[in-house]
Amino acid sequence: GVKDGRWTVLQLVEALGFCLENTDPRTRGRGIQLLSQVLLQCYSLLQEKEVLHLVLFYESRLQDHHLVIPAVLQGLRALSMCEVLSPGLAVSVLKAIFQEVHVQSLLQLDRHTVYSIITNFMSTREEELKGLGANFTFGFIQVMDGEKDPRNLLVAFQIVRDLIAKDYALGPFVEELFEVTSCYFPVDFTPPPNDPHGIQREDLILSLRAVLASTPQFAEFLLPLLIEKLDSELQSAKLDSLQTLTACCAIYGQKELQEFLPSLWSSLRREVFQTASEKIETECLAALHALAACLSRSVLSSDSEDLLDSFLSSILQDCRHHLCEPDMKLVWPSAKLLQAAAGASLRTYHRISHSVLPLLLEQYTKHMQSSQRRTILEMLLGFLELQQKWGHVEEDESVLLSLQAPVCSVVFSALTDPSVQLQLVAIKALTVLGSLQGFLSSSDLELVVDHLIRLALHEEDSQSSEAAMEAAGSLAPTYPKVFSGRMVPRLEEELQSEREESHHNHHSLQQRCLQALAAVSTHTSIVRETVPVLLQHLQKVQKGTEARNTQDMVSVCQSLHRVALQCQQDAEGCWYFHQTVVPCLLAMAVQAAMQESTHRLPGKALLEEEVLAAMIPVISAATTHLSPELAAQSVNHVVPLFLDGEVSFLPQNSFPCSFQPFGDGECLEAQRRLVALLMAFVCSLPRNVAIPQQEWLLRELLALSCSCNCPFTATTAAKCFAGLVNKHPAGQQLDEILQLAMNRMEPSLAEGPRRTQALTLLLWVTKALVLRYHPLSSCLTDKLLGLLGDTELGPAAADGFSLLMAESPDVLHKGCHADVRIMFRQRFFTDNVPKLLQGFHGAGPDVKANYLKGLSHVLNHLPKPVLVTELPTLLSLLLEALSCSDRVVQLSTLSCLHPLLLEAPQVMSLHVDTLVTKFLNLTSSPTMAVRIAALRCAHALTSLPTTVLLPYKGRVIRALAKPLDDKKRLVRKEAVAARGEW
């Protein structure tokens, strides 16, 4: 009635008069409770005068019997949300609560109501409450004192934060406010099992920390407390104290810290020197960093003692001498402490590096052992990386510039050391020195390049060689002229040289030259130098007749692919690479295919599957990042090449006959293989680029995929068709093409010599449609499910489920702009797993394994959280799959079960008996991969509750003794790990 306006609240009060004035407190309580419940729903409809009368009524009731108080507080909570509350009433209500109610004797919900009233008034009546001065703070302290419930504490902590942040007067009650909150530090709370409120220990820790670190006024009370907890034995208390100290440093100044610095430093030093916990060490270093940063920030008045300087002096005094003992255990803790302080500000960096860097250089020359030198160089590297953080090297300030010669000398000598580990640290140091602008002179840079070439090409250890190439790649954009002028010509010379040495060595040197050319191509000006060298080498290899040609071509393509990836973010480099490399690769392939067609020469290396497969990612990476305008320019050349034989845009385009990859006739078999390169290009185009003659192209691809005898060509044609269908705008044209595809596939799938090609096409088209949620996808998936019962095609159809769910490397993935919906795997699972299960139960014994294999592929690619929720219904089937003799099914199922043992131990525990038996049986499988997977699962079983495992312990340990003697090292390694854990 009140909501509809038929009654006023005051009429309701009159109607309740009998209850409200009753002598029985229970009856009075029920009357007030009803009134409060109405107010909680109708507080926004009240008039100012009504609110005034109600407030006075409720205030007077705060002196009533304790049974009435909860209902009164609910009413006051409703009134605290009224916008028409007269000035002065908020203060009056709070005074009444502070005076009349002993809050901590109330139940949790009623205490929460009091906090809500205070929060409401603080957000709407701030100025009025501030008029109370420190009395408001004192009143709140009394309300909160002794609170134990985590739900209430979160609200209370927020109120304290607001008191401080909004500048309420704390008056003489700073220490009391600190005491009433700090008594919870460090938080010791474990949520009860199945806690519906979801409050975690971390929530309370962060909320309390925000209070303690909210004002410098708490410093004199908080810092002694933190030092005391740091000295305790409890690890969680130490962590909490360190994180709180770090938070406080953000708002403290010198004044707050001065008195406590010696004690804080002594505690931090002790923890880093003695702790076995990495977490505590990390937090100590963060706290030291924060302290040094805080002291650096404080404005130094001329007459005050420079606290930062004395603080750094004590750090240096306690740590510096340990650096002279590279075999001693305190060398690393000391270096970490010094680096933590040095990283706080430019000032701390100069002060510490001025003292430490000369010492480290001196120590390096003193010690001759590689292991000691490596330790010293790693420490030096730490300081160099800090200099990198501050950017440009200031001439007048920098210690580093004055030490340029000795630093370079140490790093260069380490680069020639026989120890690989020392070389690796030196290469890192070199990269850092190169990134410091103005540090290396031009003669130093030439020396750097020479060292990198030597390591990249001639260092026996592949780790050093790879690290040198990475370093060249990261320095090249800073010094493009030096690298293109000095490194590229040297690499080209090495690549072209015909050496006398053994064939194997020469070949591996060529491999490294190719890798180094790719690694250094990280700047457009260098790419313009390296790409022609790589293409020239590819042409040279193509003309050769050596047996290794295929592998050499693949190596060049891998290098080109790396360059393409490195160019992608730079529009100019990307377009240069595309218009240089793509026509060249197409021209070489067309040339090779023509020669094959006309002269019937033995198979050219360039047309082998391996080489074409290596060219695909090059063309794809060169195309995906093109702007739509440039991509359109390119597509107008490439598509006519394949459809019309239009070769005019290719370099060296005088070919012996016409190019007809979609033509009939056996002599064109070699040309048809090049559809793989067409696929790489058209399937990587941005979706908004129009493809000329697309319908014709789709029909040709469809025909080729169904009629070609060569599996490689048929598959690439099917993939290309699917890639285009996936991006094709919805509408009549797409429907017609799909209908055409269905008409071609259905008869071929039913019978005849081309069933495998038809299945391949079905799989790729299904994937293209599943990814974009096309309505026809369910019809195609049903066809695939039907084929699982086919004795001839069933196993291949089952493996097809892996193709549908997995990420495809060359087409139909987001990197090549395919239309991929975010949760297609979950949707596929929901739609099709029930059908798979139904098919499995109805299938004959000879094809049951196909359904299991299909299911295990689907589950294997499903996000783990989804799998865990579906586990109870599927587990019995997975266990049955382990008994299947097909090793693919066994492997898929084991890889499915492994994460589930770790993530869903409760459910898995129910089946422990079966799991133990199956896993132990499979550890003696004839297939190595199955033995390894079974041992990993046996290892993962140890994450189940100990009480579940104990009955099986003896049996498992005995059974795992056998694989310890397995003839394969990888199997023995897994057996050792699993048996040790048991």
Side-chain angles (χ1 to χ4, degrees), residues 728-741 774-776:
H728 199 298
Q732 190 185 346
Q733 278 184 322
L734 178 63
D735 295 343
E736 283 172 11
I737 281 289
L738 289 173
Q739 191 52 54
L740 194 65
H774 190 279
L776 190 62

Side-chain angles (χ1 to χ4, degrees), residues 726-797:
N726 171 265
K727 293 182 196 176
H728 199 298
Q732 190 185 346
Q733 278 184 322
L734 178 63
D735 295 343
E736 283 172 11
I737 281 289
L738 289 173
Q739 191 52 54
L740 194 65
M742 295 284 282
N743 297 346
R744 290 296 292 258
M745 281 189 286
E746 281 179 340
S748 303
L749 278 170
E751 56 185 3
R754 300 251 160 75
R755 295 188 75 198
T756 310
Q757 284 96 317
L759 174 62
T760 304
L761 179 63
L762 172 65
L763 285 168
W764 282 103
V765 174
T766 306
K767 183 175 176 83
L769 299 183
V770 162
L771 292 179
R772 65 181 274 182
Y773 291 177
H774 190 279
L776 190 62
S777 62
S778 56
C779 163
L780 294 178
T781 312
D782 288 346
K783 267 196 193 332
L784 197 56
L785 287 164
L787 288 171
L788 291 174
D790 185 297
T791 45
E792 183 193 345
L793 289 181

Side-chain angles (χ1 to χ4, degrees), residues 211-436:
V211 171
L212 297 177
S214 62
T215 170
Q217 289 174 277
F218 284 166
E220 58 179 305
F221 316 115
L222 177 59
L223 291 172
L225 175 66
L226 295 180
I227 292 167
E228 178 197 325
K229 299 298 178 191
L230 260 178
D231 298 346
S232 74
E233 292 302 309
L234 204 65
Q235 186 160 336
S236 59
K238 287 182 179 187
L239 277 174
D240 207 349
S241 304
L242 289 164
Q243 289 165 343
T244 305
L245 174 61
T246 304
C248 289
C249 287
I251 60 156
Y252 285 4
Q254 280 203 15
K255 183 164 67 86
E256 286 78 24
L257 292 172
Q258 187 162 9
E259 186 188 332
F260 304 101
L261 276 177
S263 309
L264 284 168
W265 163 240
S266 132
S267 297
L268 292 173
R269 183 190 63 213
R270 184 197 63 239
E271 287 304 323
V272 173
F273 280 175
Q274 293 175 9
T275 186
S277 156
E278 219 172 290
K279 262 189 184 169
I280 287 184
E281 183 188 271
T282 306
E283 292 302 339
C284 281
L285 297 173
L288 179 62
H289 179 96
L291 280 169
C294 174
L295 294 173
S296 303
R297 270 198 316 274
S298 300
V299 180
L300 306 169
S301 54
S302 54
D303 55 343
S304 76
E305 182 205 355
D306 189 344
L307 255 192
L308 176 63
D309 210 50
S310 59
F311 183 57
L312 296 178
S313 296
S314 51
I315 295 176
L316 283 164
Q317 188 185 337
D318 290 344
C319 295
R320 191 174 179 271
H321 60 279
H322 290 303
L323 303 184
C324 304
E325 310 155 350
D327 289 340
M328 303 298 283
K329 64 176 186 162
L330 292 182
V331 67
W332 267 118
S334 302
K336 285 176 182 173
L337 285 164
L338 287 165
Q339 285 168 7
S345 67
L346 196 49
R347 193 156 169 240
T348 59
Y349 177 74
H350 287 315
R351 175 81 171 77
I352 288 179
S353 61
H354 190 272
S355 170
V356 171
L357 288 184
L359 176 73
L360 289 175
L361 293 168
E362 181 193 322
Q363 290 299 311
Y364 185 89
T365 46
K366 255 190 199 172
H367 292 88
M368 302 317 288
Q369 278 185 13
S370 294
S371 60
Q372 294 173 327
R373 286 188 153 192
R374 177 187 159 198
T375 303
I376 295 164
L377 192 56
E378 279 181 330
M379 291 190 279
L380 185 65
L381 174 62
F383 284 99
L384 293 178
E385 283 170 339
L386 289 175
Q387 172 74 58
Q388 197 180 15
K389 176 180 168 183
W390 305 116
H392 190 69
V393 183
E394 300 289 336
E395 295 217 6
D396 52 338
E397 289 270 329
S398 174
V399 191
L400 204 51
L401 271 185
S402 62
L403 298 171
Q404 183 183 10
V407 167
C408 286
S409 153
V410 159
V411 173
F412 290 152
S413 83
L415 288 172
T416 54
D417 193 275
S419 157
V420 172
Q421 296 308 317
L422 181 54
Q423 282 177 14
L424 291 173
V425 182
I427 291 169
K428 274 189 198 163
L430 197 60
T431 313
V432 175
L433 290 178
S435 70
L436 299 174

